[in-house]
């Protein structure tokens, strides 16, 4: 069976059957870069006035422009929770939100939870309960737990598990994570 030229357009350039269609026949598009936008944020208590590409996510701003690498890039699709930060005290997946959407807001990352060198109670509880193994998800887990506690909705271990279900731990330290959160909630 012969492939039509349209069928070959779906083949990768290195595929042997794609050679019949020269690469110069592929259309070339060049889109203009969007105009930068001005954004003012307070990150971990420090004010920033920035000029950004409007497509810049909070995650990329934090990691690449502000060098706050505690917030992790996991799935980059909002499914793992490794990028969880607090925006005006509310937990948010930073990979799914554009920085330009949060002009004037206060952002707290894992680096901003400790105050004057003293660990945040959740940071200490994670240490006390060995609530991490590889540690990759830990910053998102802790920020999410801080937001969840502030919400005041979790009253039991089952509710903690449900409200923290957006944060994935590939090492399976969930039991210890729940125990750490309960310690801070005063329910150990």
């Amino acid at each position: 069976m012969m492939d039509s030229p349209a069928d070959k357009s779906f083949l990768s350039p290195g595929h042997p059957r794609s050679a019949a269609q020269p690469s110069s026949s592929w259309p070339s598009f060049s889109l203009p870069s969007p105009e930068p936008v001005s954004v003012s944020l307070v990150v971990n208590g420090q004010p920033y006035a920035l000029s950004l590409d409007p497509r810049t996510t909070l995650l990329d701003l934090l990691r690449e422009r502000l060098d706050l690498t505690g917030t992790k890039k996991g799935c980059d699709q909002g499914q793992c929770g490794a990028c969880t930060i607090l925006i005006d005290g509310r937990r948010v997946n930073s990979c799914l939100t554009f920085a330009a959407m949060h002009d004037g807001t206060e952002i707290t990352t894992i680096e901003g939870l400790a105050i004057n060198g003293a660990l945040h109670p959740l940071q200490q509880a994670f240490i006390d309960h060995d609530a991490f193994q590889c540690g990759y998800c830990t910053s998102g887990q802790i920020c999410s737990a801080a937001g969840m506690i502030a919400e005041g909705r979790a009253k039991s271990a089952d509710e903690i598990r449900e409200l923290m279900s957006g944060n994935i731990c590939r090492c399976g330290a969930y039991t210890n994570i729940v125990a750490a959160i309960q310690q801070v909630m005063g329910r150990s």
Side-chain angles (χ1 to χ4, degrees):
M1 178 176 171
M2 284 285 287
D3 290 328
S4 70
D7 294 331
K8 288 186 177 107
S9 69
F10 288 100
L11 300 175
S12 65
H15 192 281
R17 291 191 299 163
S18 68
Q21 187 174 21
S23 62
S24 62
S25 69
W26 291 83
S28 175
F29 297 103
S30 178
L31 298 174
S33 295
E35 291 294 319
V37 295
S38 295
V39 179
S40 294
L41 305 167
V42 175
V43 181
N44 298 331
Q46 183 174 342
Y48 290 91
L50 304 158
S51 179
L52 303 171
D53 181 315
R55 301 167 294 186
T56 303
T57 65
L58 272 173
L59 175 61
D60 289 337
L61 170 67
L62 294 168
R63 291 184 59 79
E64 296 171 17
R65 293 274 307 266
L66 303 183
D67 202 29
L68 296 169
T69 57
T71 304
K72 302 299 183 211
K73 185 176 276 200
C75 67
D76 214 17
Q77 297 177 15
Q79 296 179 358
C80 73
C83 68
T84 305
I85 59 170
L86 300 171
I87 299 176
D88 292 333
R90 199 180 91 247
R91 51 194 174 146
V92 173
N93 289 338
S94 62
C95 73
L96 292 182
T97 187
F98 294 114
M101 296 168 55
H102 297 285
D103 188 41
T105 62
E106 187 167 327
I107 296 170
T108 305
T109 68
I110 190 69
E111 293 93 343
L113 286 177
I115 298 174
N116 296 326
L119 292 178
H120 184 279
L122 278 165
Q123 292 170 313
Q124 186 60 55
F126 267 62
I127 293 168
D128 295 346
H129 290 275
D130 194 24
F132 50 88
Q133 287 181 33
C134 79
Y136 198 81
C137 72
T138 304
S139 59
Q141 295 275 0
I142 291 172
C143 284
S144 186
M148 182 202 63
I149 290 170
E151 292 165 8
R153 298 183 326 180
K155 306 293 185 228
S156 68
D158 285 339
E159 289 173 337
I160 291 170
R161 281 190 280 276
E162 176 65 27
L163 293 168
M164 290 291 294
S165 65
N167 291 79
I168 297 172
C169 174
R170 291 186 174 120
C171 299
Y174 295 112
T175 302
N176 299 2
I177 291 168
V178 171
I181 294 168
Q182 286 178 310
Q183 174 180 313
V184 173
M185 292 173 64
R187 304 188 199 299
S188 50

